[in-house]
């Protein structure tokens, strides 16, 4: 996919998110997307793998929305019970992803999912500390992250 198509995609997403289709907003989106693509141009895929990456990124986005809906439902059910029976806590999640981009993306996906919050990354970038509203089964939560977000990130960005 050419950078022009990526830029147009960025502009379209920006206009959809802001809901403002004014000339000033379109120009702003073009300037910001140009700067963003200029910063990350060396990381963009080249050659024949760009369509595969696009499919994998879309798969990650779909997983995020699925996890968002499921966790929002779980949190809603949890907080509407007469007796709040939770065990909040912080646990250490061993990272498989290695780059700053991948670690940041994983941390943000975890934070955007209701009931969890990324707290910190260790200095050696091998551990992510996560706060969860219910730490009754930490190993299951770690497995969900490993087999969900982290696996999809690695598939999408380690081609």
């Amino acid at each position: 996919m050419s950078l022009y198509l990526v830029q147009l995609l960025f502009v379209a997403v920006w206009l959809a998110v802001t809901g403002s289709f004014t000339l000033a907003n379109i120009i702003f989106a073009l300037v910001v997307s140009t700067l963003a693509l200029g910063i990350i141009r060396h990381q963009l895929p080249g050659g024949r793998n760009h369509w595969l990456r696009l499919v994998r990124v879309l798969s990650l986005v779909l997983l995020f929305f699925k996890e968002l809906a499921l966790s929002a439902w779980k949190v809603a059910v949890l907080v509407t019970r007469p007796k709040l029976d939770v065990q909040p806590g912080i646990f250490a999640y061993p990272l498989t992803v290695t780059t700053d981009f991948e670690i940041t993306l994983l941390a943000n996906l975890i934070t955007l999912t209701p009931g969890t919050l990324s707290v910190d990354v260790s200095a050696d970038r091998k551990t992510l500390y996560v706060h969860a509203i219910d730490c009754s089964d930490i190993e299951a939560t770690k497995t969900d992250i490993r087999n969900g977000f982290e696996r999809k990130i690695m598939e999408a960005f380690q081609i």
Side-chain angles (χ1 to χ4, degrees), residues 79-108:
V79 299
T80 57
R81 289 185 180 158
K83 182 177 182 261
L84 190 60
D85 185 29
V86 295
Q87 298 172 353
I90 296 176
F91 63 90
Y93 177 76
L95 291 169
T96 307
V97 292
T98 55
T99 67
D100 288 339
F101 171 76
E102 293 167 344
I103 294 169
T104 303
L105 181 59
L106 178 62
N108 284 325

Side-chain angles (χ1 to χ4, degrees), residues 14-117:
W14 175 257
L15 295 175
V17 168
T18 61
S20 172
F21 297 92
T22 64
L23 181 62
N25 200 30
I26 293 170
I27 292 171
F28 177 77
L30 284 168
V31 169
V32 170
S33 63
T34 300
L35 291 173
L37 289 172
I39 291 170
I40 65 165
R41 70 182 176 277
H42 65 282
Q43 296 177 348
L44 294 176
R48 61 181 193 265
N49 291 332
H50 61 277
W51 291 112
L52 178 60
R53 182 175 298 212
L54 178 63
V55 169
R56 289 178 175 176
V57 168
L58 290 175
S59 174
L60 174 63
V61 170
L62 290 174
L63 174 67
F64 169 70
F65 284 121
K66 176 188 150 212
E67 291 295 324
L68 180 68
L70 287 174
S71 62
W73 176 256
K74 288 177 187 175
V75 170
V77 168
L78 194 66
V79 299
T80 57
R81 289 185 180 158
K83 182 177 182 261
L84 190 60
D85 185 29
V86 295
Q87 298 172 353
I90 296 176
F91 63 90
Y93 177 76
L95 291 169
T96 307
V97 292
T98 55
T99 67
D100 288 339
F101 171 76
E102 293 167 344
I103 294 169
T104 303
L105 181 59
L106 178 62
N108 284 325
L109 290 173
I110 289 170
T111 296
L112 291 171
T113 306
T116 55
L117 175 71

